[in-house]
Amino acid sequence: MQHHIDKLRYPIGKFVPPLDINRQIIDGWLKILESFPQKLKEEVVDLSEQEVEQSYRPGGWTIRQLVHHCADSHMNSLIRFKLALTEEHPLSSLMRKTCGPNCRIQAKWILCAPSGFWKDFMKDGQS
């Protein structure tokens, strides 16, 4: 039963971070982020009110909740990235807000931002 629920929770599998983040990987992520809003819109634009209230798995969020979660997530990413560029000690602040004072997450995973902002930053030679 757990295997079936995991297939529903992670239809494309769980995220496995690459061991090394390089320019090619970042470019691939940027392409995904750039196309995501349009692809999401195309998926939901013709759904009825009843359809957006459906859940894709037992106990899961509705389509409406998932769409709003994506928007919230991207806005939070932008805010975190702006903090990283403007705060004197941004990573310690971001890590405390993300997972508490004993966080061991690597800084590079904290700074995921919407594509336009990240791309402009990378164009300035900050790779």
Side-chain angles (χ1 to χ4, degrees), residues 50-89:
Q50 184 178 6
E51 289 171 319
V52 296
E53 292 304 325
Q54 291 179 352
S55 162
Y56 69 100
R57 68 175 170 86
W61 288 353
T62 66
I63 294 170
R64 182 186 313 276
Q65 289 171 317
L66 286 167
V67 169
H68 284 273
H69 168 71
C70 291
D72 290 345
S73 174
H74 283 231
M75 286 185 284
N76 282 321
S77 292
L78 176 62
I79 290 166
R80 288 177 177 182
F81 202 88
K82 289 171 81 173
L83 283 172
L85 294 175
T86 59
E87 296 291 318
E88 192 169 323
H89 301 288

Side-chain angles (χ1 to χ4, degrees), residues 22-104:
N22 57 42
R23 186 64 206 204
Q24 182 179 3
I25 289 172
I26 291 171
D27 287 343
W29 287 342
L30 289 174
K31 287 178 183 174
I32 291 168
L33 287 171
E34 285 175 324
S35 64
F36 180 73
Q38 183 61 36
K39 287 182 177 182
L40 183 60
K41 182 179 179 179
E42 291 168 3
E43 290 293 326
V44 301
V45 70
D46 294 324
L47 296 179
S48 69
E49 284 294 313
Q50 184 178 6
E51 289 171 319
V52 296
E53 292 304 325
Q54 291 179 352
S55 162
Y56 69 100
R57 68 175 170 86
W61 288 353
T62 66
I63 294 170
R64 182 186 313 276
Q65 289 171 317
L66 286 167
V67 169
H68 284 273
H69 168 71
C70 291
D72 290 345
S73 174
H74 283 231
M75 286 185 284
N76 282 321
S77 292
L78 176 62
I79 290 166
R80 288 177 177 182
F81 202 88
K82 289 171 81 173
L83 283 172
L85 294 175
T86 59
E87 296 291 318
E88 192 169 323
H89 301 288
L91 295 180
S92 62
S93 170
L94 290 172
M95 287 181 165
R96 278 194 308 276
K97 290 176 186 174
T98 301
C99 62
N102 298 318
C103 183
R104 296 184 185 271

